[in-house]
Amino acid sequence: MKIPPALSFDTNIILTFFSIFKYLFSYDNKTYIVGGGAGLVEYSPLWRTMEQKQITTYTLITKYGINTRTIFNLKHNKGITVYALEKLCKVLQCTPNDVLQFTE
């Protein structure tokens, strides 16, 4: 499996992350991950991490340039791009495990 060069996460985390999803595709120089079923990923760890670091969704949008569509997707447990995940991790100084968790 070829890992996109823009990622700077631990290879084991990324391989585990990719192995849970059924589809991985690129469009517009962005890599999208699509789950195999509804409710595969939830972002409750993100909300806890944001609360601990005292960062609001408003701050993510205005100060760090996170797209409002990404915030919508996070709130509704929908898919986000790997780029958005990487940007969230950089802003919050955390790992993907602090942003999302997998559900059965």
Side-chain angles (χ1 to χ4, degrees):
M1 172 181 291
K2 185 176 178 184
I3 298 174
L7 298 176
S8 60
F9 300 121
D10 180 5
T11 304
N12 292 330
I13 292 172
I14 293 300
L15 291 177
T16 302
F17 183 70
F18 285 154
S19 68
I20 294 175
F21 290 91
K22 289 189 178 180
Y23 306 104
L24 174 68
F25 66 94
S26 292
Y27 176 75
D28 256 358
N29 292 327
K30 294 181 182 176
T31 303
Y32 294 86
I33 300 171
V34 180
L40 188 59
V41 174
E42 68 176 14
Y43 301 100
S44 55
L46 170 65
W47 311 121
R48 285 190 298 271
T49 302
M50 287 174 58
E51 186 177 347
Q52 289 170 354
K53 301 198 181 246
Q54 298 180 343
I55 294 180
T56 64
T57 54
Y58 179 80
T59 304
L60 289 177
I61 294 165
T62 58
K63 185 174 180 181
Y64 297 107
I66 302 293
N67 190 300
T68 55
R69 183 67 179 172
T70 299
I71 300 297
F72 176 88
N73 287 348
L74 292 167
K75 287 183 177 182
H76 293 89
N77 290 326
K78 305 238 180 215
I80 62 171
T81 64
V82 174
Y83 173 77
L85 177 62
E86 182 179 9
K87 194 167 182 179
L88 285 168
C89 289
K90 284 182 182 179
V91 167
L92 297 170
Q93 297 175 343
C94 65
T95 67
N97 290 336
D98 297 321
V99 174
L100 58 83
Q101 69 183 16
F102 300 104
T103 60
E104 297 285 327

